[in-house]
C-alpha cells in the first residue's frame, strides 16, 4: 500500500519517538505503545492538527503498520517496525531538527 506523503511523515515521527523512548530506557513494549492520547503529545506533532494525525493513524492501520485497541491506545506493529528498520538513516534526515537522530539510531 502506498502511503501519502503526510502519513509517511507521521509514521517517521512515530517511529523516531519509539526509538527515542528506547534510547532513554523504555522497554520495547512500552516504547511502541501510545496510551490515552499520548500520540498527540509528541513534540514533533506540535504544529499538526488532530484530524491530520488521526487520518495518518487510520492510513497506517489500513497498511497494518499500526493497530488501535478499543480504548484508543495505538501500537506500532512488527510489520511497521520491520518496514522502518529497512529504511536507510538518510530517510529520516528531514526529522533531524525534531529528534537527536545520532543518539536514537545507534
Amino acid at each position: 500500500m502506498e502511503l501519502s506523503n503526510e502519513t509517511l511523515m507521521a509514521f517517521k515521527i512515530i517511529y523516531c519517538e519509539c526509538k527515542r523512548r528506547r534510547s532513554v530506557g523504555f522497554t520495547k513494549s512500552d516504547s511502541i505503545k501510545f496510551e490515552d492520547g499520548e500520540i498527540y503529545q509528541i513534540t514533533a506533532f506540535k504544529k499538526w492538527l488532530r484530524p491530520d494525525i488521526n487520518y495518518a493513524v487510520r492510513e497506517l492501520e489500513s497498511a497494518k503498520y499500526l493497530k488501535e485497541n478499543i480504548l484508543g491506545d495505538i501500537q506500532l506493529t512488527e510489520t511497521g517496525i520491520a518496514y522502518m528498520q529497512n529504511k536507510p538513516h538518510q530517510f529520516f534526515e528531514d526529522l533531524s531538527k525534531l529528534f537527536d537522530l545520532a543518539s536514537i539510531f545507534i
Side-chain angles (χ1 to χ4, degrees):
M1 175 181 190
E2 186 76 23
L3 299 175
S4 68
N5 289 337
E6 189 170 72
T7 296
L8 188 57
M9 178 59 75
F11 193 16
K12 287 197 253 184
I13 289 169
I14 293 166
Y15 182 74
C16 285
E17 177 61 15
C18 293
K19 296 286 286 181
R20 185 200 66 78
R21 289 172 166 201
R22 285 291 284 160
S23 76
V24 296
F26 282 65
T27 64
K28 179 181 179 182
S29 62
D30 287 341
S31 69
I32 63 172
K33 189 185 322 173
F34 298 90
E35 297 176 342
D36 193 29
E38 281 181 317
I39 199 156
Y40 303 115
Q41 305 307 315
I42 298 174
T43 305
F45 281 137
K46 184 173 66 175
K47 294 182 180 180
W48 286 55
L49 299 174
R50 273 189 182 218
D52 293 335
I53 297 170
N54 292 337
Y55 181 87
V57 166
R58 296 296 156 278
E59 195 173 340
L60 291 166
E61 282 182 293
S62 294
K64 307 289 189 226
Y65 295 145
L66 293 181
K67 64 182 176 181
E68 185 173 3
N69 67 23
I70 197 160
L71 301 174
D73 300 339
I74 295 164
Q75 183 172 330
L76 192 61
T77 65
E78 289 300 322
T79 303
I81 293 167
Y83 176 85
M84 285 303 204
Q85 283 178 334
N86 289 323
K87 297 293 183 189
H89 292 304
Q90 298 88 328
F91 179 74
F92 300 96
E93 283 182 355
D94 52 345
L95 297 179
S96 63
K97 292 182 180 174
L98 303 171
F99 292 96
D100 180 6
L101 298 178
S103 70
I104 64 175
F105 287 102
I106 298 172

